[in-house]
């Protein structure tokens, strides 16, 4: 089972994948039964007499025959080299096991060395990004990260991080495109890009390799530590002050926006664009009201906010490349600086939407909402702990104000139109969150709903 046709013809493997895929966290619609999985393309990256490693792109269909997405799998064939047993997905016709290979140190080591060596193979380009990386001669240790979302990441030797793009699309991922632009512009605000895997023919981004920063913590964890200090959970009251960190983060985002604006052609954000955006906000609200009836009481006020930025005159910055899905979890804080991560855009959006140009206020709004979540998600309902909620509100207000001050200090003051647009983005994000929480985490729905009410005052 070494050729692509053999993978495509193997019915036992396809049936096994149809059972296995819905159990993965990165599957779009986890738990949804699949009727079929087709193996579209297979790229072998490691082959010996006893072992095989492949990147496989598969297409899934649900029980109604609808498209359930395309996915990238990293599979091994043979006896896995792992410290603990791994579940087998299927067996080849000659009896060898097929398994998910990202815990297999030998196969992951081979995959990363092919990137570092700039060695294309079997329909895939393994690209060492300037200046690339000189790997140690000894085999690399492998530590899969447990927090899988839409992608899967593996840390190697606590020095490198390999990210597998589970939902590859035709054309380069915005994450790779923006990292290359920022690197070429000399931006210090992103981790160093060391390499990538791209599919020949489709130019889809299959994986990236970056420098891993063991002394960094993600911004979400840093904010939660501060919130605990602010609410009295830490012995040092100063631990609750996040304003300095928030101000620096705002300046970093503004600097990244400025670098992207200078590195890529932009388009004016005209009245027609604003009208289209206003219609999108109102359509999303109409869709959400059906599932979140509490929104109905605020529909008129929200419609007013979603239209008032359209007709304000002048002073709008152009639409440009942005992060697209910015929140505290997409940041890293080292002892010296902030870094931004994962420029892929909204995971549920299609490729065309994720590469579309937007106002930078979209990213600013995402971070403002993230501060609100960091402060409130650990609390019960407002009636249960009034003092805790009052302290959380103070933390949010101070952190948001500091973040905006840091952003403005670098980007310059917002025009009246930008301020109205920012408010609309923040409230649109809260509407989206209210719908998401109602469907998936009903006990959290009060967080965006309460914020929405405050934002309309």
């Amino acid at each position: 089972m070494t050729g692509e046709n053999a993978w495509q013809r193997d019915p036992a493997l396809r049936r096994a994948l149809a059972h296995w895929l819905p159990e993965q966290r990165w599957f779009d619609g986890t738990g949804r039964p699949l009727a079929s999985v087709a193996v579209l393309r297979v790229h072998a990256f490691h082959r010996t007499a006893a072992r095989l490693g492949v990147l496989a792109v598969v297409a899934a269909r649900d029980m109604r025959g609808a498209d359930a997405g395309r996915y990238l799998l990293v599979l091994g064939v043979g006896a896995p080299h792992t410290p603990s047993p791994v579940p087998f997905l299927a067996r080849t016709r000659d009896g060898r096991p097929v398994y998910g290979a990202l815990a297999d140190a030998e196969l992951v080591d081979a995959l990363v060395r092919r990137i570092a060596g700039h060695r294309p193979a079997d329909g895939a380009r393994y690209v060492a990004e300037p200046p690339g990386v000189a790997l140690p001669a000894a085999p690399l240790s492998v530590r899969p990260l447990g927090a899988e979302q839409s992608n899967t990441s593996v840390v190697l030797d606590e020095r490198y991080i390999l990210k597998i793009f589970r939902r590859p699309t035709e054309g380069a991922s915005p994450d790779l495109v923006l990292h290359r632009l920022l690197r070429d512009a000399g931006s210090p605000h992103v981790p160093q890009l060391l390499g990538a895997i791209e599919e020949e023919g489709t130019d889809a981004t299959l994986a990236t390799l970056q420098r891993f920063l063991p002394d960094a913590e993600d911004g979400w964890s840093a904010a939660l530590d501060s919130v605990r200090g602010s609410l009295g959970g830490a012995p040092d009251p100063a631990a609750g002050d996040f304003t300095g960190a928030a101000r620096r983060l705002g300046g970093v985002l503004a600097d990244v926006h400025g670098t992207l604006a200078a590195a890529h052609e932009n388009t004016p954000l005209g009245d027609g664009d604003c009208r289209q955006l206003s219609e999108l906000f109102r359509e999303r609200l109409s869709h959400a009201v059906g599932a979140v009836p509490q929104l109905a009481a605020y529909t008129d006020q929200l419609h007013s906010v979603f239209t008032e930025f359209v007709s304000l005159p002048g002073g709008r910055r152009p639409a440009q490349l942005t992060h697209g899905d910015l929140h505290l979890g997409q940041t890293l804080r080292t002892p010296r600086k902030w870094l931004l991560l994962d420029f892929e855009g909204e995971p549920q959006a299609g490729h065309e939407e994720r590469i579309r140009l937007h106002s930078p206020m979209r990213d600013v709004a995402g971070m403002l909402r993230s501060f609100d979540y960091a402060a409130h998600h650990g609390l019960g309902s407002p009636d249960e702990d009034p003092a805790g909620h009052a302290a959380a509100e103070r933390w949010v207000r101070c952190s948001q104000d500091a973040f905006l001050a840091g952003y403005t200090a670098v980007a310059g003051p917002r025009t009246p139109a930008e301020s109205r647009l920012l408010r609309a983005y923040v409230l649109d994000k809260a509407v989206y969150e209210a719908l998401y929480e109602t469907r998936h985490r009903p006990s959290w729905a009060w967080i965006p709903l309460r914020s929405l009410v405050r934002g309309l005052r």
Side-chain angles (χ1 to χ4, degrees):
M1 187 177 183
T2 57
E4 182 171 315
N5 289 338
W7 289 83
Q8 294 168 335
R9 290 195 305 263
D10 191 319
L13 175 64
R14 298 199 306 272
R15 286 194 299 270
L17 291 177
H19 289 289
W20 178 75
L21 272 173
E23 299 173 354
Q24 311 311 306
R25 286 191 62 189
W26 39 262
F27 177 71
D28 185 18
T30 300
R32 180 169 41 151
L34 293 179
S36 65
V37 172
V39 180
L40 302 180
R41 293 176 295 279
V42 176
H43 309 291
F45 62 85
H46 180 74
R47 182 183 283 116
T48 66
R51 292 166 58 67
L52 177 69
V54 303
L55 302 170
V57 179
V58 303
R61 290 197 170 274
D62 64 21
M63 292 303 199
R64 298 169 297 179
D67 182 9
R70 285 167 170 73
Y71 301 90
L72 174 64
L73 314 181
V74 186
L75 302 176
V77 178
H81 287 197
T82 59
S84 57
V86 297
F88 295 151
L89 306 182
R91 289 191 177 271
T92 64
R93 291 174 180 173
D94 59 4
R96 291 187 296 164
V98 179
Y99 59 94
L102 286 178
D104 188 319
E106 179 183 309
L107 290 183
V108 176
D109 180 90
L111 184 61
V112 171
R113 290 183 188 279
R114 188 169 287 280
I115 296 172
H118 207 80
R119 294 184 289 127
D122 202 14
R125 298 189 297 270
Y126 296 79
V127 182
E129 299 284 340
V133 57
L135 299 176
L140 300 169
S141 65
V142 171
R143 177 171 65 86
L145 290 181
E148 292 190 359
Q149 297 298 326
S150 55
N151 299 307
T152 303
S153 294
V154 180
V155 175
L156 300 105
D157 268 14
E158 303 302 316
R159 287 187 280 181
Y160 319 110
I161 184 165
L162 175 72
K163 180 164 71 171
I164 302 298
F165 288 74
R166 291 297 191 175
R167 299 290 308 273
T169 58
E170 288 200 12
S173 164
D175 190 37
L176 180 57
V177 171
L178 269 64
H179 267 284
R180 283 172 170 164
L181 285 173
L182 291 166
R183 177 206 56 206
D184 292 347
S187 174
H189 304 309
V190 289
Q192 183 184 2
L193 179 65
L194 302 174
I197 306 174
E198 299 171 296
E199 188 173 56
E200 293 179 356
T202 67
D203 291 329
T205 303
L206 305 183
T208 58
L209 182 67
Q210 292 177 299
R211 185 74 63 187
F212 180 68
L213 302 170
D215 64 343
E217 68 173 335
D218 68 272
W220 176 255
S221 298
L224 293 189
D225 288 343
S226 172
V227 169
R228 282 189 287 269
S230 179
L231 299 185
D236 179 9
D241 184 7
F242 202 65
T243 55
R247 185 176 293 105
R248 289 189 292 274
L249 179 57
V252 165
L253 177 60
D255 192 68
V256 167
H257 280 162
T259 301
L260 291 174
H264 188 274
E265 183 179 356
N266 304 313
T267 62
L269 190 65
D271 290 345
D273 301 300
C274 289
R275 281 193 294 271
Q276 186 177 24
L277 184 60
S278 172
E279 290 171 5
L280 176 63
F281 289 163
R282 286 179 281 140
E283 287 172 5
R284 282 205 283 248
L285 172 61
S286 177
H287 176 67
V289 167
V292 191
Q294 300 96 313
L295 291 173
Y298 308 103
T299 298
D300 290 344
Q301 289 174 276
L302 286 168
H303 273 280
S304 176
V305 174
F306 292 160
T307 56
E308 65 184 0
F309 66 85
V310 174
S311 59
L312 288 174
R316 299 189 185 100
R317 292 191 176 96
Q320 63 165 84
L321 290 174
T322 61
H323 184 284
D325 185 34
L326 190 62
H327 53 79
L328 286 162
Q330 307 281 39
T331 68
L332 287 178
R333 188 172 72 162
T334 76
R336 298 174 300 279
K337 60 184 179 180
W338 282 98
L339 301 169
L340 304 187
L341 307 172
D342 297 333
F343 289 78
E344 296 167 63
E346 173 57 48
Q348 300 303 318
H351 183 69
E352 291 302 315
E353 170 61 24
R354 289 189 288 119
I355 63 174
R356 186 172 297 164
L357 305 183
H358 290 276
S359 166
M361 294 300 102
R362 186 187 189 204
D363 286 346
V364 176
M367 189 58 69
L368 294 178
R369 291 296 310 129
S370 191
F371 286 126
D372 190 60
Y373 261 81
H376 288 105
H377 89 286
L379 298 174
S381 70
D383 295 335
E384 296 174 6
D385 183 10
H389 278 270
E393 292 292 346
R394 288 193 296 272
W395 187 94
V396 173
R397 185 171 59 255
C398 291
S399 298
Q400 289 180 338
D401 289 348
F403 174 79
L404 289 172
Y407 188 90
T408 300
V410 175
R414 294 186 301 279
T415 66
E418 285 178 320
S419 293
R420 298 288 181 90
L421 180 57
L422 175 58
R423 187 185 184 212
Y425 269 122
V426 169
L427 290 171
D428 172 70
K429 183 76 170 174
V431 168
Y432 165 83
E433 292 164 351
L435 177 61
Y436 179 89
E437 303 298 3
T438 298
R439 287 177 170 173
H440 301 285
R441 297 180 296 197
S443 63
W444 285 24
W446 66 268
I447 298 175
L449 286 170
R450 193 173 189 223
S451 172
L452 187 146
V453 173
R454 291 197 310 271
L456 288 171
R457 289 175 184 163

